[in-house]
Amino acid sequence: MRRSTPLSLIKVDVEGNTLLNATDYDVNVAGFVIHSAIHMAKHDMDCVAHTHTPAGMAVSAMECGLLPLAQTSMRFLHIAYHDFEGIADNVDERERLVRDLGDNEAMILRNHGLLVVGRTVPAAFNVLFRLERACQTQVMALSCNTKLTYPPQNILEDTYERMLPKPGRAARNGELAWPALLRKLDRADPSYRD
């Protein structure tokens, strides 16, 4: 199995022209459409991450969307949603992706997966990690076939506001955990730096 490393990345411009490709693969057009939409519209966001995890895809298929079941999911009380339009290989979808994301840093792509943005890679990773945990929690809670409890709306709103990233709060923006995660990865498999 071939591993992904920085040397296996493909660099493209916003029009989809390949600028650098040290691999034997072509550009994933759907990935290009989704990522380029956000990069073209949000110049202050250096990182866009999009995943197809089992929990993320499961929640993306739920009519209820992401439920505020635990503190982690309350962080996404006002998450954005984008309806499924088929394989995202049509550049016309870019405008709707950006519109639906709005000023949010996370969006659930209905019947598809998760998308997050961040001013930095650590910030985007932090949002994605928390969103994935919220989806995992929801899938587990719903599988128990029991009545769920929800805090009152004012408590949900207060928790949401207090969990939003704020300038100077490294823990909320991912910068605090990022160096520790890299050290852990260095111990497990330093070849990712190749």
Side-chain angles (χ1 to χ4, degrees):
M1 182 171 125
R2 187 171 181 175
R3 286 186 319 103
S4 293
T5 68
L7 295 176
S8 66
L9 295 176
I10 301 172
K11 184 176 181 178
V12 297
D13 65 17
V14 294
E15 300 304 321
N17 300 308
T18 301
L19 304 176
L20 175 68
N21 186 353
T23 75
D24 300 329
Y25 303 103
D26 292 326
V27 172
N28 177 309
V29 177
F32 163 74
V33 168
I34 293 168
H35 288 260
S36 67
I38 309 305
H39 282 298
M40 289 170 63
K42 297 189 173 286
H43 302 284
D44 57 334
M45 297 296 162
D46 283 346
C47 185
V48 178
H50 166 57
T51 61
H52 299 148
T53 63
M57 289 187 295
V59 171
S60 80
M62 294 178 186
E63 186 177 334
C64 62
L66 186 63
L67 300 170
L69 298 176
Q71 181 174 298
T72 301
S73 52
M74 292 172 204
R75 166 72 181 75
F76 303 100
L77 187 63
H78 299 292
I79 193 167
Y81 291 90
H82 176 72
D83 288 334
F84 187 69
E85 298 184 20
I87 303 288
D89 56 3
N90 184 341
V91 293
D92 292 341
E93 190 174 354
R94 292 195 286 200
E95 181 181 325
R96 293 180 296 280
L97 284 160
V98 170
R99 178 200 65 209
D100 292 344
L101 180 61
D103 291 332
N104 295 290
E105 61 185 353
M107 181 162 65
I108 294 177
L109 305 174
R110 293 280 190 189
N111 306 98
H112 188 161
L114 308 176
L115 181 139
V116 302
V117 299
R119 294 187 193 290
T120 64
V121 171
F125 177 83
N126 184 55
V127 173
L128 185 58
F129 180 83
R130 292 173 186 272
L131 180 55
E132 176 63 21
R133 276 290 163 95
C135 290
Q136 291 170 353
T137 300
Q138 180 164 321
V139 169
M140 287 188 284
L142 292 176
S143 72
C144 294
N145 195 27
T146 187
K147 185 174 180 177
L148 303 173
T149 62
Y150 298 90
Q153 190 64 33
N154 66 316
I155 299 296
L156 292 173
E157 294 291 346
D158 180 63
T159 303
Y160 168 77
E161 288 294 328
R162 293 174 64 190
M163 293 184 80
L164 287 175
K166 300 200 175 26
R169 288 176 62 186
R172 291 277 191 253
N173 299 327
E175 283 83 11
L176 187 62
W178 188 252
L181 291 169
L182 291 179
R183 286 191 304 272
K184 185 176 180 180
L185 188 54
D186 282 336
R187 285 190 306 274
D189 183 6
S191 68
Y192 77 93
R193 292 187 182 268
D194 296 340

